[in-house]
Structure formats: C-alpha cells, structure tokens
Amino acid sequence: MMRTDESGSARGVVVVTAAGSEQGRRTAQELLDSGWCIAVTARTVAELARIMPGMSGHRLLAVAADPDDPRQVAQLLDRVLGRFGRIDSVLGAESSVASAWRRRTSQEGGVAAA
C-alpha cells in the first residue's frame, strides 16, 4: 500500500539516483513539490544530508547506497518497496539501479509493487 500526502493522494513513487548532485536535488524537490513520493539515493550519508534541508519527510525516503554494489542496490529497492509499496520510475545517472528495478519488475510479471 502506498502512503499518501495530507490530501489523501499521491502521484506515484519515483527513485531519484545520484541525488547528491545539484541536478538530482532539483529533480527530487520538483517531484516532491508536484505530489510524488520519492526515494533519494546517493553514495554517502553526507551527500544525502546536504540535500535534505527543506524537503518534506512524509513522502521522502533517503537511502545511502553504492550503485555499483548489487547487494546495496537490492537493499535500496527493498527499502523503497517496504516504505511505499511500489516503484513507478527510476530517474538518474545510476543505470545499475534502473536495471535492477527492471529485472525485478519483469520477474514479478510486470508488477512494480511488493
């Protein structure tokens, strides 16, 4: 089940990779402002801490993960699915995260939900 905003609706769930970059931070903030639930990821907690001020917490999940480590990518996807119940899209330069999400979705018969 996907958690929702105060009005009882959410547009969906997006994972924003490389959120520690300026472009990643802007993308994450724009999605939040537009009503999406988002999971942001960066390689380090320090990168995430730098972008977090001013972002709403109830539709936001921040996870430090190395996109080159398949175990950390799997844990990232598990945490997002555990929090929001689904993933609608993966945005950003970390193609390993998007690839892992697509593989998982195809193995589940095209369903991106937990």
Side-chain angles (χ1 to χ4, degrees), residues 77 87-90 96-106 112:
L77 296 175
I87 298 171
D88 296 296
S89 185
V90 177
S96 58
V97 176
S99 294
W101 170 63
R102 282 191 297 273
R103 276 193 309 277
R104 185 178 287 198
T105 301
S106 67

Side-chain angles (χ1 to χ4, degrees), residues 79-95:
R79 289 191 61 194
V80 176
L81 290 169
R83 169 79 182 269
F84 297 119
R86 72 187 220 199
I87 298 171
D88 296 296
S89 185
V90 177
L91 301 177
E94 304 299 348
S95 63

Side-chain angles (χ1 to χ4, degrees), residues 15-20 39-43 48 61-66 76 94 97:
V15 177
V16 179
T17 66
V40 293
T41 186
R43 290 180 184 267
L48 291 172
L61 173 65
V63 180
D66 181 348
L76 163 68
E94 304 299 348
V97 176

Side-chain angles (χ1 to χ4, degrees), residues 2 4 6-7 12 22 29 33 47 64-65 81 84 87 91 96 104-106 108 111-112:
M2 184 174 60
T4 57
E6 299 91 13
S7 67
E22 185 59 29
Q29 188 63 61
D33 292 346
E47 287 178 289
L81 290 169
F84 297 119
I87 298 171
L91 301 177
S96 58
R104 185 178 287 198
T105 301
S106 67
E108 295 172 353
V111 178

